[in-house]
Amino acid sequence: MRPIILAACIFSGLASQAQQTIPLTVEQIMQDPAWIGTSPSRPRWPANSERLYFDWNPVRAVSDSLYMIDPRKPAPERVSTVSQKEIIWDDAVTYNKQRTAGVFSREGDVFYFTQKPFRVVRITETVDIESNPAFSYTDTRVVYQRNQQLYAWDIQTGSTRQLIQFQTGEANERQAKPSTEEEWLKKDQLSYMQVLKERADKSKAAEEARRAAQSKPLRKISIGDQTLQDPAASPDGRFITYRLVKQAAAKTTIVPAYVTESGYTTDIPARTKVGSPLRSTTFYLYDSVRDTVWKLATDSLPGIYDIPAYMSDYPKAVSDKKEKKPRETMVYGREWNASGTKLLLDIRAQDNKDRWLVLWDTASRQLSLVERQHDDAWIGGPAASQGSFGWINETNLWYLSEYSGYSHLYTYDVVQTKSKALTGSDYEVQQAQLSIDKKNFYLTTNKVHPGEKHFYRMSVDGKTTVQLTKSEGAHQVYLSPDEQWMAVLYSGMVQPWELYLQKTADALAGKAPLQITNLAMTDSFKKYQWQKPELTTIVARDGKRVYARIYQPTDPKPNAPLVFFVHGAGYLQNAHKWWSSYFREFMFNNLLAQKGYYVVDMDYRGSAGYGGNWRTGIYRHMGGKDLTDHIDAIEYMRHQYKVDTGRVGIYGGSYGGFITLMALFTSPGTFKAGAALRPVTDWANYNHGYTANILNEPQTDSIAYRKSSPIYYASGLQDHLLMCHGMVDVNVHYQDVVKLSQRLIELGKDNWELAPYPMEDHAFVEPSSWTDEYRRILKLFETILKKDR
């Protein structure tokens, strides 16, 4: 099963375990992460639910190994390479309606198995790759793909037949039509040549008899020069759905690698840039009974002709448009009801400002709207993820939507055409899954606290809800295929992830889980008195409360310096109560606290976990509210902790590096020193999927890019700047920091430095690189923020 949640559990901090404060060093905390300990990862179940498997490295080998435990006698055992090949992973299986049988693909072949008695049948064994098997024809056949064609294997007879033939170019199913002269000559010959006529009649009769005895000819569908995607059969086998993609001619970037084994510079092919031409997609449905192809027409969707709100800033561009055209769309997901009579489609506008859930009825061949979700900024959050909708029964479906401003769970009655909200208020349902018996949902929410995530079971009518996890922290829960067991990865704020196991029934009864692993922290790591930061809220200038973690100096003194750590990704959460993915920065913040600094780590505007308005608070102006949230925190820290507002520093990577640049360039004098790591300096250089949501496209919304790109504000630099960047970064390209460097040179700035890392990508790998980078950051803060003190 895929992970269903992150939720809360069992540990408290480690401060009580440490007897004394041992001085931290950059060399210590930036060494190979194995010094911290070894956490288990990727818990997963086989289809029969008999064992739990997970990756682990308790012996500190070169890489993790696969381990296994029996839920009835949980003692981890290492799994041999040979045994691994025999495991049928549940997350790779598609089951029939009764879950008595399943299908899966492995190493390019397709397999079928029954549960009782357990029996595996190999359906294919070819040099071609067969994939995506699923049950169809009311569970009597297995449909799979080979070379972008669909085949059906009959479970009873073992026979296989091709269902359809997709072919490139134009279909040529008929011979060229004879000319009028040829038609006349043929007719004339048959009118007086008796033998010719008799032979022609016999030949015609034989051909008719042969065709009558033949099975229905294979339907050929031309896809021209387009690319075929995701062909699949309906549950009853009548319909085949597929997408055709028209690729766009978009220029891609390259990233030079200078340090190579060959000694020659190597070009690494990379991504396109935001605003590059996008591919177009069209959704089709083939009806084998009527032998017709239906093309999804989206021009009747409500709002499809709407002009984006931001275009009001460009009235001339709007007036210059000669005609109104529907916006480009794509089918993001599809789900049939069990009988194959109705198809639920998740359709997204290409500009991502609309999401339509629509139903296609096979009898009426009509589309009907379930919900339109619109956002002038962009559709996103947990509700926009894959697997956020499905069928409860033939006439009722469920879906996640951010319609209320927060991701919540809804049901929809197809007959009464009515939606019902099962959850609500100012928290998020972050994941949802329908139980096997269709009587309950398993949910992940942060209802208790934005910094906690808990696991629940809710009845399908929403009337009864049981919280299965209760302690502070976070869980990642993986249900067994039969839903009898819960594998749980748990962590606390200063406790790395450990693996737990319990029966679902015991969790419903409020019992605690059983701990399976206990090696996430080494004795060396436990020696240090890791500070559990204070989790609080800071009121921003617009009255919004911003969640933040505050590290206090080991020996607090008046007028202490203050440093901000800015998390990356933008849409990410770090002011929470579980072990952070920024574990190096957690340790570095502890080091700074030992040296007398206050450190603030904020979930600024745009961060995850706080609903749609918070996520889109940076729309068309990155470096706006996300930056002022940090600036507003300075006054809070002055009032609450008496920090010296003349000694404030800031650092962060990726989006955090971008905010650092905007802080020094647009608010000179506020931050005396900043370390911008792998920063975006010009958003026009970044990728489309991330950037176009927030800033639209540079060619249509230049105002947003001008307001949001640090390179335009470089003249504002008056404080001390350190930039660090990997030279083979295929995410935020090294080109970004090179362009900014040239700009700073042209402006005559001399209070900056650049540290390049020739062999590092966006996420550093080598401990030597991490060590060098954070030595420089520490030196910057110690030199500038403690100057004359």
Side-chain angles (χ1 to χ4, degrees):
M1 297 287 283
R2 60 180 175 82
I4 307 184
I5 75 144
L6 292 173
C9 198
I10 295 175
F11 275 92
S12 60
L14 300 178
S16 60
Q17 297 179 12
Q19 300 301 313
Q20 59 182 337
T21 300
I22 304 173
L24 288 164
T25 66
V26 172
E27 291 76 12
Q28 176 71 16
I29 63 179
M30 295 299 164
Q31 63 178 300
D32 189 315
W35 87 276
I36 298 172
T38 174
S39 287
S41 62
R42 297 181 63 224
R44 50 208 187 272
W45 295 90
N48 59 15
S49 301
E50 291 183 354
R51 302 285 189 275
L52 171 65
Y53 296 84
F54 58 98
D55 294 341
W56 202 26
N57 191 2
V59 296
R60 296 200 185 186
V62 175
S63 60
D64 289 359
S65 298
L66 184 66
Y67 280 76
M68 173 271 294
I69 56 174
D70 184 331
R72 289 159 290 276
K73 46 180 181 179
E77 300 177 17
R78 190 171 179 274
V79 182
S80 70
T81 305
V82 175
S83 300
Q84 292 180 35
K85 295 182 178 180
E86 304 301 320
I87 302 169
I88 301 175
W89 299 112
D90 174 65
D91 59 3
V93 170
T94 300
Y95 295 95
N96 61 2
K97 293 185 185 68
Q98 291 75 32
R99 293 183 71 89
T100 57
V103 289
F104 63 96
S105 60
R106 176 182 288 164
E107 296 180 348
D109 289 313
V110 174
F111 298 80
Y112 165 85
F113 71 92
T114 56
Q115 295 277 26
K116 295 180 180 179
F118 182 75
R119 182 174 66 97
V120 179
V121 177
R122 188 176 196 139
I123 298 176
T124 67
E125 189 172 8
T126 71
V127 295
D128 291 325
I129 295 176
E130 289 89 17
S131 62
N132 299 326
F135 289 93
S136 186
Y137 297 90
T138 60
D139 286 353
T140 62
R141 298 178 190 175
V142 175
V143 174
Y144 60 90
Q145 296 177 32
R146 177 196 296 157
N147 296 329
Q148 293 193 318
Q149 307 294 342
L150 285 182
Y151 296 82
W153 178 77
D154 191 300
I155 297 173
Q156 186 67 33
T157 66
S159 61
T160 299
R161 72 179 181 91
Q162 187 172 343
L163 299 181
I164 198 166
Q165 184 176 352
F166 295 104
Q167 56 186 28
T168 57
E170 295 299 324
N172 185 24
E173 299 180 43
R174 299 178 182 176
Q175 294 181 348
K177 186 177 179 180
S179 66
T180 54
E181 182 270 337
E182 291 172 328
E183 289 278 10
W184 181 89
L185 186 60
K186 180 178 179 180
K187 184 177 180 181
D188 181 65
Q189 295 297 299
L190 293 176
S191 66
Y192 62 86
M193 293 289 187
Q194 186 62 31
V195 174
L196 279 178
K197 185 176 185 306
E198 290 174 357
R199 289 181 178 180
D201 289 343
K202 288 179 181 179
S203 177
K204 182 179 179 180
E207 177 63 18
E208 289 176 350
R210 185 184 68 80
R211 288 186 176 182
Q214 261 188 343
S215 60
K216 189 176 180 180
L218 189 64
R219 180 63 151 93
K220 297 179 180 179
I221 293 179
S222 173
I223 64 174
D225 60 351
Q226 300 180 89
T227 302
L228 177 71
Q229 282 188 348
D230 198 26
S234 61
D236 59 359
R238 175 178 172 177
F239 301 96
I240 292 174
T241 59
Y242 59 96
R243 282 196 301 260
L244 294 184
V245 179
K246 185 76 172 179
Q247 301 293 343
K251 186 175 182 178
T252 58
T253 55
I254 58 169
V255 174
Y258 292 98
V259 183
T260 63
E261 289 185 11
S262 68
Y264 289 89
T265 300
T266 302
D267 287 338
I268 302 172
R271 54 169 171 77
T272 58
K273 295 188 178 186
V274 59
S276 295
L278 301 177
R279 64 183 186 176
S280 60
T281 66
T282 310
F283 184 84
Y284 293 89
L285 190 146
Y286 170 64
D287 184 341
S288 63
V289 173
R290 297 182 179 180
D291 193 26
T292 57
V293 175
W294 177 74
K295 175 184 176 181
L296 175 65
T298 59
D299 55 358
S300 63
L301 292 173
I304 191 66
Y305 289 93
D306 288 359
I307 297 173
Y310 77 87
M311 290 301 295
S312 62
D313 286 344
Y314 306 94
K316 187 177 185 305
V318 175
S319 63
D320 286 348
K321 283 192 173 181
K322 295 181 180 179
E323 59 178 322
K324 252 189 171 182
K325 292 183 179 180
R327 285 177 290 155
E328 288 282 340
T329 62
M330 76 166 290
V331 174
Y332 192 73
R334 52 161 175 70
E335 192 77 29
W336 288 96
N337 64 355
S339 63
T341 59
K342 295 185 184 298
L343 176 63
L344 178 62
L345 297 172
D346 181 357
I347 304 173
R348 309 286 177 93
Q350 197 173 75
D351 62 17
N352 210 19
K353 298 183 188 301
D354 279 280
R355 176 202 189 194
W356 299 269
L357 287 175
V358 298
L359 282 170
W360 189 74
D361 181 80
T362 60
S364 66
R365 307 184 77 185
Q366 297 295 315
L367 285 174
S368 60
L369 183 69
V370 174
E371 185 201 60
R372 176 197 177 190
Q373 185 187 339
H374 171 79
D375 196 311
D376 282 345
W378 77 94
I379 300 296
S385 61
Q386 291 277 8
S388 60
F389 61 91
W391 289 90
I392 300 171
N393 52 43
E394 286 294 283
T395 57
N396 290 273
L397 55 92
W398 68 271
Y399 61 94
L400 293 180
S401 172
E402 211 175 54
Y403 181 81
S404 69
Y406 291 84
S407 174
H408 283 294
L409 177 64
Y410 297 81
T411 56
Y412 181 80
D413 188 309
V414 174
V415 177
Q416 298 184 17
T417 64
K418 289 183 178 179
S419 291
K420 175 184 177 183
L422 298 189
T423 61
S425 194
D426 55 349
Y427 68 91
E428 290 186 332
V429 175
Q430 299 189 337
Q431 287 181 313
Q433 180 177 317
L434 188 63
S435 64
I436 295 171
D437 60 12
K438 308 293 181 74
K439 294 180 180 179
N440 296 286
F441 289 103
Y442 290 101
L443 306 177
T444 309
T445 89
N446 60 359
K447 182 178 181 179
V448 172
H449 185 280
E452 297 184 39
K453 296 180 188 287
H454 287 273
F455 192 48
Y456 299 81
R457 193 178 80 171
M458 171 188 283
S459 59
V460 78
D461 59 7
K463 294 180 179 179
T464 304
T465 302
V466 180
Q467 185 176 327
L468 302 183
T469 57
K470 297 180 173 61
S471 298
E472 183 178 282
H475 293 74
Q476 298 177 16
V477 177
Y478 302 74
L479 283 172
S480 62
D482 59 11
E483 297 176 359
Q484 299 300 305
W485 292 90
M486 293 166 49
V488 183
L489 284 178
Y490 162 75
S491 81
M493 190 179 286
V494 291
Q495 165 65 46
W497 299 96
E498 296 282 14
L499 182 63
Y500 293 76
L501 184 66
Q502 73 177 143
K503 289 184 178 180
T504 308
D506 289 345
L508 288 165
K511 297 180 180 179
L514 176 66
Q515 185 170 351
I516 302 301
T517 64
N518 189 22
L519 290 173
M521 291 183 294
T522 62
D523 290 339
S524 297
F525 187 75
K526 291 178 183 178
K527 286 192 307 183
Y528 290 90
Q529 189 173 343
W530 301 106
Q531 181 180 153
K532 185 176 182 179
E534 175 192 357
L535 184 56
T536 188
T537 58
I538 295 170
V539 180
R541 63 189 63 184
D542 60 358
K544 302 296 184 183
R545 290 192 169 272
V546 187
Y547 280 85
R549 303 206 301 187
I550 299 173
Y551 299 78
Q552 300 185 40
T554 306
D555 182 19
K557 293 179 181 178
N559 297 315
L562 169 65
V563 168
F564 285 90
F565 164 62
V566 188
H567 72 66
Y571 190 64
L572 180 146
Q573 187 177 10
N574 203 49
H576 51 58
K577 299 181 181 180
W578 63 88
W579 183 246
S580 174
S581 58
Y582 289 97
F583 60 89
R584 291 183 180 88
E585 289 76 5
F586 164 77
M587 293 187 290
F588 186 68
N589 293 342
N590 270 265
L591 183 153
L592 291 174
Q594 281 190 4
K595 291 184 175 294
Y597 296 83
Y598 282 90
V599 183
V600 176
D601 171 10
M602 305 183 74
D603 277 341
Y604 52 85
R605 227 65 64 99
S607 297
Y610 306 97
N613 289 337
W614 198 263
R615 186 188 72 251
T616 60
I618 58 173
Y619 179 58
R620 298 190 71 204
H621 190 187
M622 290 191 276
K625 291 179 180 178
D626 44 3
L627 174 56
T628 58
D629 285 343
H630 290 87
I631 296 174
D632 294 342
I634 296 175
E635 177 59 24
Y636 172 88
M637 294 299 294
R638 184 196 68 77
H639 180 267
Q640 194 74 17
Y641 296 98
K642 313 303 180 190
V643 302
D644 185 346
T645 58
R647 296 194 290 154
V648 181
I650 187 169
Y651 83 100
S654 197
Y655 198 95
F658 153 74
I659 288 292
T660 298
L661 292 178
M662 291 296 274
L664 269 63
F665 293 174
T666 67
S667 188
T670 304
F671 301 89
K672 294 299 182 183
L677 320 176
R678 52 200 182 276
V680 175
T681 71
D682 183 352
W683 284 107
N685 287 334
Y686 201 51
N687 67 38
H688 187 92
Y690 180 88
T691 318
N693 279 342
I694 306 172
L695 301 180
N696 304 306
E697 294 182 333
Q699 62 267 36
T700 60
D701 196 1
S702 59
I703 293 173
Y705 283 80
R706 180 63 175 78
K707 286 194 298 187
S708 302
S709 296
I711 198 165
Y712 294 111
Y713 303 99
S715 61
L717 178 63
Q718 70 178 38
D719 302 293
H720 296 269
L721 171 63
L722 165 67
M723 296 183 292
C724 302
H725 209 126
M727 294 178 68
V728 287
D729 190 335
V730 296
N731 183 10
V732 179
H733 297 166
Y734 188 64
Q735 177 194 28
D736 259 51
V737 78
V738 171
K739 286 175 61 177
L740 180 58
S741 297
Q742 177 60 28
R743 182 68 182 135
L744 292 172
I745 291 168
E746 292 174 0
L747 290 167
K749 302 295 182 179
D750 61 1
N751 50 345
W752 63 277
E753 66 173 301
L754 169 62
Y757 296 86
M759 297 188 68
E760 295 292 358
D761 197 343
H762 195 61
F764 284 13
V765 174
E766 300 299 329
S768 58
S769 299
W770 282 106
T771 301
D772 181 88
E773 182 177 53
Y774 277 80
R775 274 180 184 156
R776 294 175 185 273
I777 299 170
L778 181 60
K779 181 181 178 181
L780 174 71
F781 291 155
E782 289 283 85
T783 303
I784 303 303
L785 302 186
K786 290 185 176 180
K787 187 177 182 181
D788 301 328
R789 295 284 175 172

